[in-house]
Amino acid sequence: MRLFLSSYRFGAHHDRLVTLAGPPARVAVIGNACDAWPAMRASAITSDLVPLRKLGYAPEEIDLRDFVGRTAELERRLAEFPLVWVRGGNTFVLRAQFARSGADLALTRLLADDALAYAGYSAGACVLTPDLHGLETLDDPAEVAPASGIEPQWDGLNLVDRAIIPHIDSPTDPDGACNRLAARYRAEAIAHWALTDDDAIVIDGPRTEELITSSGR
């Protein structure tokens, strides 16, 4: 299993993504964490396509809403790409769209077979954790039903063994909600990674590399 998990895009470690996933090639971009925000969804996804192209990737959006109830077809489609890129947004909305499309099952199988690498930031990283409780202080679960037609799910994909808190000391979190959640997890002895926007976690088979600055510890 190959995972590149960050707070914001490549963080300060785009070189590690290339090492993990191989030379830039086609990449499937999943932007469904933004499905609750239709007015800004297209521009949000475009904002990820541009930096990926600058690094030499050939990004193509895969909209999970097109694969609801068609898990096998989605798995075949994702298997065409050496890398899947899952952008940030609302973690609960993303989890719901993973469930509706079967992306949770398809990606778990493809990653187990090492058929592709997974890069996710913010919500795209958080969705891989065991449990999403606590993230409701960062993302609104009430956005799930209008965007997906189902109720929020509180389990992650359980592909990593601890929680992830993005945007530590970040200008994208001016109220400090992420820092407060990290403090709560520390007080409750909940295992987690707290990531600044420069940080990343790289998992390559049995090896886990924590590229975390002192601010994120």
Side-chain angles (χ1 to χ4, degrees):
M1 182 168 64
R2 290 174 291 145
L3 308 175
F4 180 93
L5 308 177
S6 64
S7 173
Y8 186 69
R9 293 188 181 149
F10 314 109
H13 304 285
H14 69 270
D15 56 324
R16 292 296 291 111
L17 175 61
V18 174
T19 300
L20 184 75
R26 296 175 70 207
V27 52
V29 174
I30 294 176
N32 295 92
C34 297
D35 285 350
W37 314 323
M40 61 165 286
R41 187 185 189 281
S43 61
I45 293 171
T46 297
S47 74
D48 274 19
L49 301 182
V50 171
L52 284 165
R53 289 181 181 129
K54 286 182 178 178
L55 285 182
Y57 290 96
E60 302 174 38
E61 185 190 357
I62 301 297
D63 190 340
L64 299 182
R65 295 174 296 183
D66 295 337
F67 294 91
V68 173
R70 299 158 58 194
T71 303
E73 184 177 346
L74 175 61
E75 186 168 346
R76 288 192 295 270
R77 184 77 171 100
L78 292 175
E80 299 173 8
F81 297 87
L83 175 64
V84 171
W85 175 271
V86 186
R87 68 154 287 131
N90 186 314
T91 306
F92 297 99
V93 172
L94 180 63
R95 179 67 183 97
Q97 302 296 38
F98 269 33
R100 294 175 70 224
S101 63
D104 47 2
L105 303 176
L107 284 168
T108 297
R109 286 192 289 261
L110 291 166
L111 286 165
D113 291 340
D114 200 29
L116 49 72
Y118 180 107
Y121 74 88
S122 196
C126 294
V127 76
L128 299 192
T129 64
D131 184 358
L132 305 185
H133 286 90
L135 294 178
E136 70 276 10
T137 63
L138 312 180
D139 298 333
D140 187 358
E143 292 184 335
V144 172
S148 69
I150 65 174
E151 293 303 308
Q153 296 190 212
W154 294 86
D155 63 319
L157 273 61
N158 200 29
L159 294 180
V160 296
D161 64 359
R162 66 196 68 189
I164 293 174
I165 306 172
H167 309 309
I168 296 297
D169 295 334
S170 171
T172 66
D173 180 32
D175 295 331
C178 296
N179 289 61
R180 287 194 296 275
L181 182 58
R184 171 185 154 189
Y185 281 178
R186 288 194 298 271
E188 297 177 3
I190 295 173
H192 67 281
W193 286 305
L195 305 180
T196 72
D197 288 348
D198 284 338
D199 297 340
I201 303 297
V202 178
I203 296 174
D204 189 357
R207 183 186 179 204
T208 298
E209 186 177 1
E210 300 179 354
L211 304 172
I212 300 178
T213 63
S214 59
S215 297
R217 294 192 185 278

